[in-house]
Amino acid sequence: MKSNLLANRLADIVAKAYSGQPLNINNLAEQYQVSTKTIRRDFDRLCAILERCPDTGNYLLSTSARNQYNEQDLVRLIEELGLKKALPLKAAQFLRSLVNDSKSDFYHFQEQPLEADFISTLHSSFETAIKNRRIVSFLYKGKSRAVAPYLMIYSYGSWYLAAISDGILKTFSLARIKFVCVQKEYFDYDPSLVEQIKKQETIWFGQPIFDVTLEVSCKIAFYFERKALLPKQKIIEKRSDGSLVISTSAWNYNQIAPVIQYWIPNIRVIAPCELNTYIRKNLMSWIDKESSETESVIS
């Protein structure tokens, strides 16, 4: 019994240390209902990974312990998250320097996940359902759903669930999912669907792809040359005046129209004409609405 209590306590202390928490002897003694002498002995057992902070007297994860990781695993994780091109060439070394605070004063990462508030509890529920091949039910856009979950997808700053619903592969925005419940019912798992999801590189499943050609003015060409802002973006012509002709592909007008509308009037749809008509209708609808509201305020 005592050995189990000791093992659990040490494991908990190690977890706290690796999460970056300062370890205070008095606080831990009170938490675990043991003496401060016992906690000091625990720290002695963990001396290989802990070091005392002279300013506060608390214990922290040592610098050497923070440096111990499998660099190949870190490189693989960087590539999996699509961060390889965003970091310096020696990406693993760069991140290690940030962890150790040796370069943290030189960099600021401004972009954050857009839906952090929505995912903390949903992820664990869907992980359980996916792992155990269980049906999961939830409320989505006011409608009750029961789906077979396959993958959680992070795309353009938002999280989605890829799942089979009514026999069709669909995506559901985690930000709109409410009242999640993992059911006792199992579903027949099809591993080929996972490959299908990963190959498509999109959340618009089950829809035919169409090609789009755009003209980008010289005023904003730099932004499209620096980074692909559109799916499967390719620069097919750079004109003498600095403007670009770009090809891209999409599965749904809603996937690409917001990006084009953002850059108007410095971007123009060359083809297909149906997409150009769709965007024009969006803009005219907005103008008409704004005009009506303005007139009502004046009157």
Side-chain angles (χ1 to χ4, degrees):
M1 176 65 73
K2 287 185 178 180
S3 61
N4 288 340
L5 289 174
L6 172 62
N8 291 335
R9 189 172 65 248
L10 291 177
D12 196 35
I13 291 174
V14 169
K16 292 178 186 295
Y18 272 93
S19 69
Q21 297 182 37
L23 305 175
N24 181 275
I25 291 176
N26 293 324
N27 291 345
L28 291 178
E30 182 179 353
Q31 177 182 343
Y32 300 122
Q33 295 295 296
V34 297
S35 67
T36 56
K37 186 177 180 180
T38 297
I39 297 299
R40 291 183 189 278
R41 282 200 300 267
D42 289 345
F43 284 179
D44 288 339
R45 293 185 178 99
L46 299 172
C47 62
I49 66 166
L50 297 181
E51 61 186 14
R52 186 176 182 274
C53 176
D55 296 331
T56 64
N58 294 331
Y59 284 74
L60 301 168
L61 188 67
S62 67
T63 302
S64 60
R66 290 200 298 269
N67 284 338
Q68 291 174 3
Y69 62 87
N70 186 319
E71 192 157 304
Q72 290 301 317
D73 287 343
L74 184 54
V75 170
R76 181 183 59 79
L77 179 61
I78 291 169
E79 292 178 351
E80 188 73 18
L81 294 176
L83 297 174
K84 186 175 181 180
K85 293 182 179 180
L87 297 177
L89 291 177
K90 296 182 179 179
Q93 181 180 336
F94 169 73
L95 291 181
R96 176 169 43 177
S97 68
L98 286 181
V99 171
N100 295 332
D101 291 329
S102 63
K103 291 185 178 178
S104 59
D105 292 337
F106 311 144
Y107 296 92
H108 171 58
F109 295 88
Q110 190 176 56
E111 187 172 346
Q112 299 291 328
L114 300 181
E115 298 174 344
D117 293 340
F118 296 99
I119 67 174
S120 57
T121 56
L122 293 180
H123 271 222
S124 58
S125 297
F126 288 129
E127 282 177 5
T128 300
I130 294 169
K131 178 181 179 181
N132 297 311
R133 316 296 193 233
R134 303 277 283 272
I135 296 292
V136 62
S137 62
F138 50 79
L139 190 68
Y140 191 79
K141 296 183 180 179
K143 182 180 178 181
S144 179
R145 315 271 182 154
V147 306
Y150 273 81
L151 283 175
M152 283 176 283
I153 303 170
Y154 185 70
S155 178
Y156 291 92
S158 299
W159 280 100
Y160 300 87
L161 175 70
I164 295 294
S165 175
D166 298 325
I168 301 172
L169 180 60
K170 299 179 180 180
T171 50
F172 301 88
S173 168
L174 264 62
R176 292 183 169 182
I177 292 176
K178 298 178 181 179
F179 310 118
V180 176
C181 181
V182 179
Q183 304 294 321
K184 294 182 179 180
E185 180 186 355
Y186 294 91
F187 66 89
D188 293 327
Y189 182 78
D190 183 357
S192 66
L193 283 178
V194 175
E195 295 301 318
Q196 177 185 338
I197 293 167
K198 291 183 177 180
K199 284 180 180 179
Q200 282 198 221
E201 299 179 352
T202 176
I203 60 167
W204 304 94
F205 301 127
Q207 300 187 45
I209 191 171
F210 61 91
D211 296 325
V212 177
T213 306
L214 303 169
E215 181 183 72
V216 176
S217 79
C218 59
K219 294 180 180 179
I220 62 169
F222 164 77
Y223 300 102
F224 287 81
E225 291 180 292
R226 179 186 64 175
K227 178 183 177 181
L229 300 177
L230 296 161
K232 300 183 181 296
Q233 175 183 307
K234 291 182 181 179
I235 297 175
I236 56 179
E237 183 184 355
K238 185 170 183 177
R239 295 169 174 167
S240 58
D241 63 354
S243 63
L244 305 173
V245 177
I246 289 177
S247 69
T248 179
S249 301
W251 290 261
N252 187 287
Y253 285 168
N254 288 332
Q255 181 187 12
I256 195 170
V259 180
I260 297 172
Q261 290 168 187
Y262 177 85
W263 293 102
I264 288 174
N266 293 303
I267 193 168
R268 183 176 68 87
V269 177
I270 299 176
C273 60
E274 293 82 3
L275 174 60
N276 194 43
T277 301
Y278 175 83
I279 292 173
R280 285 177 177 272
K281 286 182 178 179
N282 283 347
L283 295 176
M284 291 305 299
S285 176
W286 178 82
I287 292 171
D288 291 342
K289 183 179 180 181
E290 287 295 304
S291 298
S292 298
E293 291 181 357
T294 301
E295 289 175 1
S296 63
V297 170
I298 294 174
S299 60

